[in-house]
């Protein structure tokens, strides 16, 4: 395994100093959701993955199955819709229920593999006693995004530029881009009322085996200090297939006790 030099973490795109990284909240299962939301893109395009696509994941905590998750993308009229869900296993739901749904809608791209700009983003989370219901509406003509917390009633207008993505759509942007080992990539992501300039390290290539077989992968590590969703204490790693599909076959993050792993178990791709 190669050793990657330590690089700086992402900072707010407005140049302000980011707050200290928050402590992990809630049950360890919820941390795996961060895997799906904080990725970035490079400047060089690669081949596009197919649509529609639905990915099914098993979530395990220190080797024990703790839940399931899905990632789905498809065209809907003049737009592209992305939906992510996560649900705790029955035995965990007895004392800590997780039912999460996150949805992103983008303009339909004129040419693959490029994505149009985001139109809306909504995050609805139920994790134990914790609830969130937040959404962002993008006004591309006025270069502003309206943030709304549907539980607290808070609303805020946020100035944006032309190449800002929400946390979920940025995941698919990276899969449609070229990644080179040793060359970090960057993207601006709007999350929790702030623009974040996110860095993603491209660490190495690695052969792995899962229940679906053997895969040649490229391993990336997103660096993010957003306090919106990303509660973590350890590094996060994502294994993407080293081909034109860039399938995320494994995703792992360390938590206070052990680690959470999301492993591709099936779907339509």
């Amino acid at each position: 395994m190669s050793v990657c030099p330590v690089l700086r973490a992402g900072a707010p795109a407005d140049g302000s100093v980011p707050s200290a990284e928050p402590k992990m909240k809630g049950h360890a299962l919820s941390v795996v959701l961060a895997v799906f939301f904080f990725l970035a893109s490079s400047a060089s395009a690669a081949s596009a993955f197919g649509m529609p696509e639905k990915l099914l994941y098993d979530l395990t905590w220190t080797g024990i199955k703790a839940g399931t998750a899905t990632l789905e993308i498809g065209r809907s009229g003049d737009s592209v819709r992305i939906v992510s869900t996560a649900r705790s296993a029955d035995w965990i739901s007895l004392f800590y229920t997780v039912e999460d749904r996150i949805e992103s809608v983008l303009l339909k791209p004129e040419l693959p593999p490029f994505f149009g700009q985001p139109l809306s983003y909504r995050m609805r989370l139920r994790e134990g006693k914790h609830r969130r219901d937040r959404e962002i509406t993008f006004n591309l003509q006025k270069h502003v995004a309206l943030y709304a917390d549907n539980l607290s009633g808070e609303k805020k207008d946020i100035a944006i530029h032309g190449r800002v993505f929400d946390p979920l759509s940025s995941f698919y942007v990276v899969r449609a881009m070229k990644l080179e080992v040793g060359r970090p990539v960057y993207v601006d992501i709007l999350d929790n009322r702030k623009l974040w300039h996110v860095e993603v390290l491209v660490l190495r290539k690695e052969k792995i085996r899962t229940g679906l077989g053997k895969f040649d992968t490229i391993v990336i590590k997103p660096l993010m200090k957003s306090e919106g969703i990303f509660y973590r204490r350890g590094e996060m790693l994502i294994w993407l297939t080293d081909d034109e599909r860039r399938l995320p076959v494994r995703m792992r993050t360390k938590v206070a006790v052990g680690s959470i792993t999301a492993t591709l178990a099936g779907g339509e791709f």
Side-chain angles (χ1 to χ4, degrees):
M1 182 180 296
S2 62
V3 178
C4 183
V6 176
L7 301 176
R8 65 181 181 83
D14 61 6
S16 62
V17 178
S19 59
E21 185 172 343
K23 295 181 179 180
M24 183 181 66
K25 296 183 180 180
H27 192 274
L29 176 61
S30 63
V31 181
V32 78
L33 298 177
V35 170
F36 302 124
F37 310 134
F38 297 103
L39 302 172
S41 62
S42 68
S44 302
S47 299
F49 53 89
M51 286 193 282
E53 175 189 80
K54 184 173 184 178
L55 307 177
L56 309 177
Y57 291 88
D58 287 334
L59 307 182
T60 56
W61 174 44
T62 61
I64 303 171
K65 186 170 180 179
T68 57
T70 67
L71 283 169
E72 188 170 5
I73 184 171
R75 295 181 178 87
S76 177
D78 292 331
S79 63
V80 171
R81 187 176 302 272
I82 306 170
V83 178
S84 170
T85 68
R87 181 180 295 272
S88 52
D90 290 344
W91 69 274
I92 285 183
S93 297
L94 293 174
F95 57 91
Y96 192 94
T97 299
V98 173
E99 292 181 349
D100 295 349
R101 179 183 174 91
I102 300 175
E103 184 171 334
S104 175
V105 179
L106 302 93
L107 285 172
K108 185 177 179 180
E110 295 181 2
L111 292 172
F114 303 104
F115 283 88
Q117 291 297 286
L119 298 174
S120 64
Y121 169 79
R122 187 169 185 180
M123 175 180 65
R124 286 175 287 181
L125 308 182
R126 176 192 178 191
E127 297 171 0
K129 295 181 180 179
H130 185 63
R131 301 287 192 278
R132 287 188 196 166
D133 187 348
R134 300 173 180 175
E135 57 186 311
I136 301 171
T137 303
F138 294 83
N139 188 321
L140 306 178
Q141 289 72 33
K142 295 183 178 181
H143 300 287
V144 67
L146 173 62
Y147 168 90
D149 188 318
N150 295 324
L151 298 181
S152 70
E154 177 188 2
K155 294 185 178 180
K156 182 179 180 179
D157 287 334
I158 304 165
I160 59 174
H161 55 73
R163 296 301 293 174
V164 174
F165 291 92
D166 62 74
L168 182 55
S169 62
S170 64
F171 171 81
Y172 288 86
V173 174
V174 75
R175 290 179 55 199
M177 295 291 175
K178 184 178 180 181
L179 299 173
E180 298 182 16
V181 173
R183 299 187 64 178
V185 294
Y186 303 86
V187 71
D188 289 337
I189 297 176
L190 179 60
D191 177 49
N192 196 33
R193 304 181 295 275
K194 284 188 178 181
L195 285 174
W196 300 88
H197 188 58
V198 180
E199 179 180 26
V200 176
L201 306 184
V202 185
L203 300 181
R204 62 184 181 271
K205 294 189 177 184
E206 183 177 332
K207 294 180 182 293
I208 67 170
R209 180 190 291 272
T210 74
L212 296 180
K214 295 180 180 179
F215 296 95
D216 292 321
T217 68
I218 187 164
V219 185
I220 64 174
K221 178 181 178 179
L223 304 178
M224 187 67 178
K225 286 190 175 181
S226 168
E227 58 188 4
I229 303 172
F230 195 12
Y231 299 107
R232 67 181 178 94
R233 292 183 179 178
E235 69 178 12
M236 179 194 302
L237 298 175
I238 299 97
W239 286 257
L240 302 173
T241 56
D242 190 17
D243 58 21
E244 68 278 2
R245 297 178 302 170
R246 288 284 194 260
L247 286 172
V249 291
R250 178 185 293 166
M251 298 172 271
R252 178 177 295 155
T253 185
K254 293 181 180 178
V255 292
V257 178
S259 62
I260 293 288
T261 300
T263 303
L264 185 64
E268 301 173 8
F269 48 86

